[in-house]
């Protein structure tokens, strides 16, 4: 801090917003100073995303005042006005056009690129930002977004927002920016955020990963039930205190290293067997009741393996893939792979349960309702009514619905595609417990994750590199260094 | 605990969003009332009976179109007129004026329709031609088959079949009762069978549907086959109703079915079919023409007004529920 108190840049006072029956914000006061990085934490449905939508102008608040750079902004506050003054956002749900190239997506965000060679200019600008934030990203300006993995798309989305242009850039709002990034890219982004605020710019970071919040922010704001319950300098607080303020779970998460439940016994039958195409590489095997982790950098073949297993259980599509049981898939990229937008919450769950719900080829509607209610309680879904549309839920709660869909099915093998994106700490712990319990009953989990700590919930871990298994680690052998080592090792023995 | 105060407006909005057929239903009632009050001799009851008879055919084919449109963006069956022409000819040939052959004739018509559906889907899937082109091009082939086997002759239906088509139960056409039964079966299929749920899921997000374990292409296959089979049934019934088959007996059903599906509140981009809306929209489309006729509008003005009113109904029906 250079001169006493830094200038106040952006302030919301007594902001309230309701969606039909759901009161998302109940009179929130929130401030960002110049050159400050504010971390915003809270459980799913606490109102974080709604507050950011109000600040960035995509939602109009029902009540409250906004002040930007000392001036009150009135009812005319909308996306255009917010962008003109320099408020930019990277949302949890990605906003790139899948059918366009990187350069074209850049042009959409910043219309100043004109003339016959606008593609080159836009592409060069975007590439420059990508190089600065994510050195070694391996992307090209003429790649089409739809062909990129979700992690790469997230990198483009972030770089696009950080690219300076004709409009000012004062505040960057990052809503779960690292949820789809692997550890390396996440670390690069966090380092860049510090550079960014050092230039006198401001940043609001929403994340469920408290480690990130504590590494990068100057101040932490905790939200609960649509209200700000705490705002404190990062150096004056602790992880325990923040978790306590978030509510719901007072005790700190136990270190997963001490989880004992060793389940997969040697005699358990084999349920998954994928043989590798080249003799030098390892195949993937899973026994009944095992929790198998898939690690490595994002986009190195983990999701592909899950899709091959899913296809392999329905039809014997490939000779090298053998799956001995029904599978159910938990999508991590929930907009493309998971959610049915026109359906209610209950229908989005029951779509995975048809084999249990059918009596004489007809779906039992009463059973469907009761079962959905059962899972609502089991996962603590925050909603007044299961008949509301799925998009009335916050991102994390939508993810819970996808868990209910898979775990409530009769499938003996559950495939999880980095499913904890945007899920809060409390829910994560509940889901970890649920996974352990189901594994004890003989269910098998194949779990791709980009969060290193989650690998400690797995019995065995396969590390991926360039579409192949580069190594296998038991829980006892697991360490971040070894996983990283295998992820980068080009020629594994 | 939180207390939620639900405003009456929000409640009304939700009630309204769950009933996408409301707009077309209201429009049908208005068109009926306007025709009756214009006082062109016909009684209100008689008008309704006639409307039910003609709408029943429209409903039968539109239900199939609804299923096809619901399996995802770009899906539509434009071969319906050809299926109706071919199945009408086949039904009349099989029945050959004999009362004993009515049931085999109808079954043959449905089977021919289903085969057209299989043909359509194989063009779409195997040759990966966009559905609109595939069904349109396929319909030319189907129509030429209809010409070849019918040789342009009009074969009379068996007398009993004609009587059935004209029969009324307490003033309600038997035909309408049959089509109502088919509608209920389709609604039940959509709400309570895996195929029905798959149709909705595939139409909303085929990738997610596949990952949730649904058979995406099989679902689409059944939508096209059911659609064409219903057109086949309609072909037989229309021939029986109008005293024999003809090649152009299904001509109006391309645009009419699509208009009925859309006005009836089915989501055009797929995933949300609406069976009651098919009935109200089909009634509306018939009553609209009746109303304009009663008002003495000439053909030019009638087409102009029909176009404008359809646009108006779609705009009025879609605006409140929009996100």
């Amino acid at each position: 801090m250079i001169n006493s108190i830094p200038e106040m840049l952006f302030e919301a006072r007594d902001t309230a917003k309701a969606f039909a029956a759901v009161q998302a914000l109940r009179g929130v006061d929130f401030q960002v100073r110049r050159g400050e990085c504010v971390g915003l934490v809270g459980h799913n449905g606490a109102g974080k995303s709604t507050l950011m939508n109000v600040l960035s102008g995509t939602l109009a608040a029902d009540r409250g005042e906004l002040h930007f750079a000392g001036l009150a902004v009135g009812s005319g506050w909308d996306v255009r006005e917010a962008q003109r003054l320099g408020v930019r956002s990277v949302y949890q749900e990605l906003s790139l056009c899948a059918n366009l190239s990187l350069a074209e997506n850049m042009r959409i965000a910043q219309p100043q690129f004109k003339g016959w060679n606008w593609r080159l200019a836009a592409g060069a600008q975007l590439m420059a930002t990508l190089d600065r934030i994510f050195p070694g990203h391996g992307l090209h300006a003429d790649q089409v977004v739809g062909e990129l993995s979700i992690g790469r798309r997230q990198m483009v989305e972030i770089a696009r927002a950080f690219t300076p242009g004709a409009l000012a850039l004062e505040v960057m709002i990052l809503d779960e920016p690292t949820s789809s990034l692997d550890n390396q890219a996440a670390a690069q982004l966090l380092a860049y955020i510090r550079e960014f605020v050092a230039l006198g710019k401001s940043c609001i970071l929403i994340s469920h990963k408290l480690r990130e919040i504590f590494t990068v922010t100057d101040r932490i704001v905790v939200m609960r039930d649509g209200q700000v319950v705490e705002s404190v300098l990062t150096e004056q607080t602790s992880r325990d205190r923040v978790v306590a303020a978030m509510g719901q779970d007072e005790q700190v998460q136990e270190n997963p290293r001490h989880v004992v439940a060793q389940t997969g016994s040697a005699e358990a039958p084999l349920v998954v067997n994928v043989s590798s195409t080249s003799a030098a590489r390892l195949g993937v095997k899973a026994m009944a009741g095992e929790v198998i982790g898939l690690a490595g950098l994002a986009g190195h073949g983990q999701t592909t393996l899950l899709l091959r297993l899913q296809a392999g259980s329905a039809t014997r599509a490939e000779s090298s893939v053998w799956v001995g049981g029904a599978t159910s898939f938990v999508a991590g990229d929930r907009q493309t792979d998971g959610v049915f937008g026109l359906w209610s919450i209950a229908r989005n769950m029951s779509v995975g349960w048809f084999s249990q719900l059918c009596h004489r080829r007809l779906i039992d509607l009463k059973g469907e309702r009761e079962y959905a209610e059962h899972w609502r309680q089991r996962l603590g879904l925050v909603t007044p009514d299961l008949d509301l549309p799925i998009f009335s839920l916050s991102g994390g709660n939508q993810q819970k619905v996808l868990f209910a869909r898979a775990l409530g099915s009769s499938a003996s093998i559950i495939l999880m595609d980095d499913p904890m994106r945007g899920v809060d700490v409390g829910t994560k712990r509940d889901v970890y417990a649920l996974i352990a319990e189901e594994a004890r009953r003989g269910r098998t989990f194949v779990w791709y994750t980009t969060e290193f700590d989650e690998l400690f919930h797995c019995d065995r871990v396969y590390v991926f590199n360039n579409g192949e298994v580069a190594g296998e680690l038991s829980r006892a052998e697991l360490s971040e260094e070894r996983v990283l080592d295998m992820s980068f090792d080009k020629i594994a023995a | 605990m939180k207390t939620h105060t639900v405003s009456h407006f929000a409640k009304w909005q939700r009630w309204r969003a769950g009933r996408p057929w409301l707009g077309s239903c209201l429009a049908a009632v208005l068109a009926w009332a306007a025709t009756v009050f214009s006082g062109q001799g016909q009684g209100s009851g008689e008008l309704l009976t006639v409307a039910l008879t003609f709408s029943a055919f429209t409903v039968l084919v539109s239900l199939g179109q609804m299923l096809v449109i619901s399996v995802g963006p770009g899906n539509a069956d434009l071969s319906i007129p050809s299926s109706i022409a071919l199945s009408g000819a086949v039904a009349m040939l099989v029945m050959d004026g004999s009362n004993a052959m009515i049931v085999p004739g109808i079954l043959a018509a449905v089977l021919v329709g289903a085969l057209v559906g299989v043909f359509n889907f194989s063009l779409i899937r195997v040759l990966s031609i966009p559905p609109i082109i595939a069904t349109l091009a396929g319909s030319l082939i189907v129509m030429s088959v209809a010409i070849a086997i019918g040789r342009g002759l009009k074969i009379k239906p068996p007398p009993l079949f004609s009587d059935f088509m004209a029969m009324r139960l307490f003033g309600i056409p038997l035909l309408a009762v049959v089509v109502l039964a088919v509608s209920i079966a389709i609604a039940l299929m959509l709400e309570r069978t895996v195929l029905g749920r798959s149709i909705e899921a595939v139409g909303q997000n085929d990738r997610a549907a596949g990952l949730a374990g649904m058979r995406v292409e099989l679902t689409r296959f059944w939508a096209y086959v059911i659609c064409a089979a219903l057109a086949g049934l309609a072909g037989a019934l229309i021939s029986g109703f109008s005293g024999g088959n003809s090649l152009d007996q299904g001509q109006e059903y391309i645009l009419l079915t699509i208009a009925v599906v859309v006005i009836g509140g089915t989501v055009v981009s797929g995933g949300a079919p609406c069976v009651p809306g098919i009935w109200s929209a089909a009634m509306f489309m018939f009553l609209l023409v009746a109303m304009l006729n009663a008002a003495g509008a000439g053909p030019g003005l009638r087409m102009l007004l029909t176009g404008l009113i359809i646009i108006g109904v779609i705009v009025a029906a879609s605006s409140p529920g929009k996100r």
Side-chain angles (χ1 to χ4, degrees):
Chain A
M1 258 131 261
I2 312 137
N3 304 320
S4 59
I5 306 160
E7 184 196 343
M8 186 70 74
L9 181 66
F10 203 2
E11 189 175 6
R13 290 180 198 159
D14 193 30
T15 304
K17 176 75 192 170
F19 298 103
V22 184
Q23 189 74 42
L25 296 178
R26 308 157 179 265
V28 170
D29 294 318
F30 182 82
Q31 301 89 25
V32 191
R33 294 184 173 81
R34 269 192 206 281
E36 182 184 44
C37 179
V38 180
L40 185 57
V41 296
H43 288 294
N44 295 141
K48 307 181 299 287
S49 295
T50 309
L51 177 62
M52 291 309 107
N53 280 322
V54 169
L55 293 185
S56 62
T58 40
L59 282 176
D62 298 339
R63 169 183 101 212
E65 296 169 40
L66 288 177
H67 294 260
F68 193 90
L71 295 171
V73 289
S75 53
W77 188 249
D78 59 5
V79 182
R80 206 173 279 267
E81 182 68 3
Q83 285 181 343
R84 195 179 65 79
L85 291 174
V87 183
R88 294 201 201 166
S89 341
V90 174
Y91 292 112
Q92 208 172 336
E93 313 302 350
L94 305 174
S95 67
L96 300 172
C97 296
N99 58 333
L100 299 182
S101 73
L102 267 54
E104 286 159 348
N105 270 290
M106 184 71 232
R107 166 68 176 69
I108 292 173
Q110 298 201 0
Q112 83 274 12
F113 296 108
K114 293 203 175 81
W116 60 272
N117 63 344
W118 60 265
R119 265 194 194 80
L120 279 179
Q125 281 257 3
L126 180 62
M127 283 301 123
T129 320
L130 270 170
D131 290 341
R132 205 159 62 237
I133 308 177
F134 305 107
H137 51 78
L139 289 157
H140 300 284
D142 51 2
Q143 272 176 304
V144 175
V145 167
E147 290 162 8
L148 303 178
S149 69
I150 186 163
R152 294 281 166 89
R153 271 186 275 157
Q154 181 83 63
M155 284 157 75
V156 174
E157 176 98 24
I158 292 168
R160 183 174 78 157
F162 273 111
T163 302
L167 298 172
L169 171 51
E170 295 294 341
V171 191
M172 181 59 75
I173 298 172
L174 297 164
D175 192 349
E176 294 286 343
T178 60
S179 59
S180 312
L181 299 179
D182 58 47
N183 283 328
Q184 189 198 8
Q188 289 173 332
L189 173 65
L190 298 184
Y192 183 75
I193 292 175
R194 285 318 311 175
E195 280 178 41
F196 179 72
V197 294
L199 295 172
K201 310 287 185 189
S202 314
C203 179
I204 304 170
L205 175 67
I206 298 182
S207 180
H208 288 304
K209 300 178 186 171
L210 290 181
R211 200 167 48 166
E212 289 177 354
I213 294 283
F214 276 92
T215 332
V216 78
T217 63
D218 301 306
R219 193 158 56 86
I220 296 179
V221 174
V222 183
M223 284 188 77
R224 185 164 77 200
D225 283 342
Q227 278 164 325
V228 168
V229 290
E230 186 157 273
S231 167
V232 59
L233 291 180
T234 307
E235 57 202 11
Q236 293 170 5
T237 187
S238 68
R239 189 195 152 92
D240 293 1
R241 212 180 123 189
V242 167
V243 170
M246 283 159 68
Q248 216 170 50
D249 53 75
E250 272 70 27
Q251 75 268 55
V252 186
Q253 189 181 8
E254 78 271 39
N255 188 342
R257 273 167 215 268
H258 301 307
V259 178
V260 251
Q262 185 71 39
T263 44
S265 67
E267 305 95 68
L270 189 71
V271 290
V272 170
N273 190 2
V274 181
S275 41
S276 171
T277 42
S278 64
R281 296 292 195 167
L282 290 164
V284 173
K285 283 191 173 69
M287 313 290 173
E290 256 192 323
V291 181
I292 302 293
L294 306 181
L297 300 180
H300 274 248
Q302 299 94 332
T303 303
T304 316
L305 176 74
L306 294 178
L307 295 178
R308 282 168 72 198
L309 293 178
Q310 174 80 346
S313 77
T315 51
R316 289 279 280 129
E318 288 176 85
S319 55
S320 57
V321 177
W322 180 82
V323 182
T327 55
S328 193
F329 189 87
V330 184
D333 185 357
R334 56 181 168 267
Q335 297 312 320
T336 10
D337 296 349
V339 163
F340 297 107
L342 299 174
W343 268 351
S344 68
I345 300 164
R347 287 242 161 144
N348 263 288
M349 290 186 190
S350 68
V351 70
W353 307 337
F354 292 150
S355 57
Q356 297 110 289
L357 290 176
C358 278
H359 297 299
R360 280 186 246 121
R361 314 201 62 183
L362 285 183
I363 293 166
D364 172 12
L365 296 181
K366 192 161 161 273
E368 182 183 16
R369 176 154 297 279
E370 285 166 0
Y371 208 41
E373 189 56 45
H374 165 78
W375 277 97
R376 184 241 289 255
Q377 283 170 9
R378 194 154 171 200
L379 288 174
L381 209 58
V382 186
T383 177
D385 187 351
L386 288 175
D387 288 331
L388 286 172
I390 182 80
F391 286 135
S392 67
L393 295 179
S394 68
N397 274 301
Q398 287 176 31
Q399 196 65 47
K400 287 187 192 175
V401 170
L402 299 188
F403 271 112
R405 185 191 289 174
L407 294 174
S409 76
S410 58
S412 60
I413 303 160
I414 309 290
L415 310 170
M416 303 195 289
D417 182 21
D418 200 10
M420 299 295 187
R421 271 179 227 155
V423 175
D424 63 54
V425 183
T427 307
K428 271 183 191 166
R429 219 192 35 199
D430 294 348
V431 174
Y432 297 151
L434 211 57
I435 290 171
E437 186 190 328
E438 294 285 324
R440 229 171 290 129
R441 290 186 194 163
R443 255 190 177 167
T444 310
F445 289 83
V446 183
W447 184 357
Y448 164 42
T449 174
T450 50
E451 286 180 45
F452 179 75
D453 286 344
E454 285 184 351
L455 294 174
F456 286 106
H457 294 275
C458 303
D459 298 316
R460 275 186 304 122
V461 172
Y462 289 101
V463 184
F464 277 68
N465 184 9
N466 273 326
E468 291 279 358
V469 177
E472 181 187 337
L473 295 169
S474 69
R475 180 156 39 198
E477 300 167 315
L478 190 64
S479 73
E480 192 151 10
E481 297 72 48
R482 295 196 64 171
V483 170
L484 276 176
D485 202 35
M486 288 175 169
S487 310
F488 287 106
D489 195 5
K490 290 291 175 209
I491 22 162
Chain B
M1 271 322 288
K2 295 176 211 170
T3 49
H4 299 295
T5 49
V6 181
S7 75
H8 286 288
F9 181 67
K11 246 186 199 166
W12 155 248
Q13 264 194 331
R14 262 188 74 196
W15 188 84
R16 172 77 186 69
R19 286 160 185 76
W21 43 267
L22 216 63
S24 54
C25 194
L26 191 69
V29 171
L30 287 176
W32 173 74
T35 317
V36 171
F37 285 119
S38 71
Q40 290 289 306
Q42 270 183 323
S44 56
E46 183 60 22
L47 177 66
L48 269 186
T49 310
V50 176
L52 276 176
T53 307
F54 283 95
S55 302
F57 293 123
T58 315
V59 168
L60 200 54
V61 276
S62 301
L63 284 171
Q65 189 72 274
M66 173 191 78
L67 295 180
V68 170
I69 287 181
S70 292
V71 292
N75 283 292
D77 185 354
L78 303 186
S79 70
I80 286 176
S82 301
S83 310
I84 290 177
L86 177 61
S87 62
V90 168
M92 292 304 107
L93 277 170
V94 171
M95 291 180 192
D96 196 25
S98 149
N99 286 344
M101 294 301 283
I102 292 177
V103 175
I106 291 178
L107 289 179
V110 172
L111 183 69
V112 164
L115 289 176
V116 173
V118 174
F119 176 61
N120 280 338
F121 187 76
S122 53
L123 286 181
I124 296 167
R125 181 79 184 116
V126 180
L127 304 178
S128 39
I129 306 171
I132 290 175
I133 308 291
T135 53
L136 204 54
S139 79
L140 297 176
I141 300 171
V142 172
M143 187 58 99
S144 65
V145 176
I147 294 170
I149 68 161
R151 283 179 234 95
L153 294 176
K154 185 164 187 157
I155 306 171
K156 277 197 174 332
L160 188 62
F161 192 33
S162 298
D163 293 347
F164 270 132
M165 296 307 296
M167 196 185 276
R168 288 180 188 180
L169 297 170
F170 311 107
I172 298 167
L174 181 64
L175 175 67
V177 177
V178 171
V179 175
L180 184 66
V182 174
S183 312
I184 291 172
I186 297 273
L188 192 71
M189 184 272 281
L190 286 171
E191 178 72 8
R192 297 199 54 188
T193 68
V194 175
L195 175 63
R197 296 285 179 95
S198 300
I199 287 174
E200 294 192 358
V202 167
Q204 292 174 61
N205 185 343
D206 53 357
R207 195 177 150 83
L211 287 171
M214 276 173 271
R215 313 276 294 270
V216 175
E217 291 306 331
L218 191 67
T219 304
R220 292 201 167 125
F221 169 82
W222 280 116
Y224 277 93
V225 169
I226 294 172
C227 175
L230 287 174
L233 177 61
L237 297 180
I238 292 171
S239 302
F241 181 77
S242 50
N245 61 306
S246 72
L247 285 176
D248 59 0
Q249 64 183 7
Q251 216 177 18
E252 57 185 340
Y253 289 111
I254 286 193
L255 287 179
L256 187 59
T257 52
I258 294 177
V260 162
V261 169
V262 175
I263 294 174
T266 294
V267 175
V268 196
S269 54
C274 174
V275 174
I278 298 291
W279 270 95
S280 52
M283 291 290 278
F284 166 68
M285 290 299 284
F286 180 84
L287 290 166
L288 177 61
V289 175
M291 177 184 84
L292 294 173
N293 276 334
L301 183 63
R302 206 166 63 207
M303 280 199 211
L304 178 71
L305 289 175
T306 312
L308 289 177
I309 291 170
I310 290 175
I311 292 171
V313 168
I314 290 178
V315 170
S318 65
S319 48
K322 241 176 206 161
R323 256 192 281 270

